[in-house]
Amino acid sequence: MNIKTKEAASLLIAALAAAAVAGAMAWSGREWVAVLCTSAGVFAVIALAALFIIRKYVAYKLKPIYSIVLSRNVHTGEILSELKDKHVENMSGELAAWAETNDKEIARLKETEMFRKQYLGNVAHELKTPIFNIQGYISTLLDGGLEDELINRKYLERAEKSIDRLINIVSDLDTISKLESGMLGMRREQFDIVALTKEIADQMEIEASRRNITIMVKGSDNLPSPFWVLADKHYIGQVFVNLINNSIRYGHENGVTRIKFRDMLDRILIEVSDNGVGIAREDMPRIFERFYRTDKSRSREQGGTGLGLAIVKHIIEGHGEKISVRSELGVGTTFSFTLPKVALRDVK
């Protein structure tokens, strides 16, 4: 017998009691009218009494559970009020849902805590290297190297490089923090994305020339171009700086960095490609993580903070868009992202 409600349980108890009383009275030879009236009275009294007792008992059992769920002391009257319109099995479902939600929250908090520990460890590690370098150079100079013309300038220049690296790390950390907290609002405007890219590519020619890398911006010969977007010009410029810098650092000498634009109806697709070392398949899911490097020694040697791609991802997602990457070891890497398109007739 499947009894789902407290009312059904009390009615069953009352029916059994009334049946027992009716049977006893009939056995003793009482008149059927008396038997019927007495049985009805017993049924009504037992039903009400049983319902009252069951409700009290269920409330007593549920009180500590509700106190845990609601994180406060719960009065019995509150639970009795809840029991008026609910089946016990429905309450069981609610508690199961709460337990599942609580488990998910605990798992999320554990993941967040693990990420926080890893993040703090990475920050400490990244800051430690330039700080120790600066300390070593200054200690050497104070111990007599300052008077030695063969090493004083060299050590000061090395200390300056470490200070620059330290400043870059702190600056990038501050940028990411502000992007995540929403402190840096996006100021969207209409602009020619090809013209902006060409301007940044020209600024980075000296850096690229050190490794004989050519930066090619497709469609920059005839400006203004048909590729206009609605975005924050400053931050999109920072995206190009980081992506082009990456292509120079990891590109082969005498290589090429290509930047292409494609009309995708209401979006402009931008691709930044190089023919460099590429990214291993196992590294692909993590390249946008803060401080994650596929080639740690080379990145630090060239002054990378390990935060550039994380900043790029935050900026693109701040525009409501997505960035993706495809790569093959020894062949090269392509970063692709979209921006909202502005039709030429709407350009102001």
Side-chain angles (χ1 to χ4, degrees), residues 115-316:
F115 175 78
R116 184 189 67 83
K117 290 179 179 178
Q118 184 181 19
Y119 179 60
L120 289 175
N122 287 335
V123 171
H125 181 72
E126 294 296 330
L127 295 177
K128 179 176 65 178
T129 302
I131 289 174
F132 282 2
N133 287 342
I134 295 168
Q135 183 184 43
Y137 296 141
I138 292 177
S139 296
T140 302
L141 291 172
L142 291 176
D143 289 342
L146 192 61
E147 285 75 27
D148 189 340
E149 294 183 0
L150 295 176
I151 67 170
N152 56 13
R153 184 174 185 83
K154 179 173 68 175
Y155 274 36
L156 285 173
E157 288 174 349
R158 290 181 179 177
E160 183 184 32
K161 287 183 179 179
S162 293
I163 291 172
D164 289 341
R165 174 167 162 69
L166 198 59
I167 291 172
N168 289 336
I169 293 173
V170 173
S171 176
D172 283 352
L173 283 171
D174 181 59
T175 299
I176 286 182
S177 176
K178 289 179 178 178
L179 285 169
E180 287 182 337
S181 63
M183 291 176 62
L184 298 179
M186 299 293 174
R187 299 179 180 177
R188 299 173 189 254
E189 59 180 298
Q190 299 175 354
F191 63 92
D192 186 338
I193 189 68
V194 179
L196 174 66
T197 308
K198 178 61 177 174
E199 179 184 338
I200 292 172
D202 290 342
Q203 294 172 2
M204 303 187 72
E205 273 189 356
I206 295 177
E207 184 71 22
S209 65
R210 293 173 183 169
R211 307 193 70 233
N212 293 322
I213 291 177
T214 303
I215 304 176
M216 298 178 59
V217 182
K218 184 179 179 181
S220 62
D221 298 330
N222 299 310
L223 295 174
S225 77
F227 300 104
W228 284 68
V229 297
L230 181 65
D232 189 302
K233 189 173 183 179
H234 169 73
Y235 283 120
I236 296 303
Q238 191 171 351
V239 167
F240 280 113
V241 168
N242 286 335
L243 292 180
I244 294 173
N245 250 330
N246 258 24
S247 72
I248 294 172
R249 285 175 184 161
Y250 297 104
H252 290 305
E253 289 193 15
N254 304 312
V256 179
T257 294
R258 291 184 174 87
I259 306 167
K260 302 177 183 178
F261 307 88
R262 296 182 184 178
D263 192 329
M264 306 289 288
L265 298 179
D266 62 338
R267 296 284 188 275
I268 298 296
L269 174 68
I270 302 103
E271 295 185 330
V272 180
S273 306
D274 64 60
N275 55 352
V277 296
I279 303 170
R281 186 185 300 273
E282 59 269 20
D283 291 323
M284 295 278 281
R286 301 189 60 189
I287 60 170
F288 292 107
E289 291 182 13
R290 285 171 283 194
F291 296 115
Y292 187 80
R293 293 185 175 90
T294 57
D295 187 346
K296 297 178 175 58
S297 59
R298 184 177 178 188
S299 295
R300 291 194 180 94
E301 182 182 335
Q302 297 187 11
T305 64
L307 295 167
L309 289 180
I311 291 174
V312 166
K313 183 173 182 287
H314 277 294
I315 292 174
I316 298 301

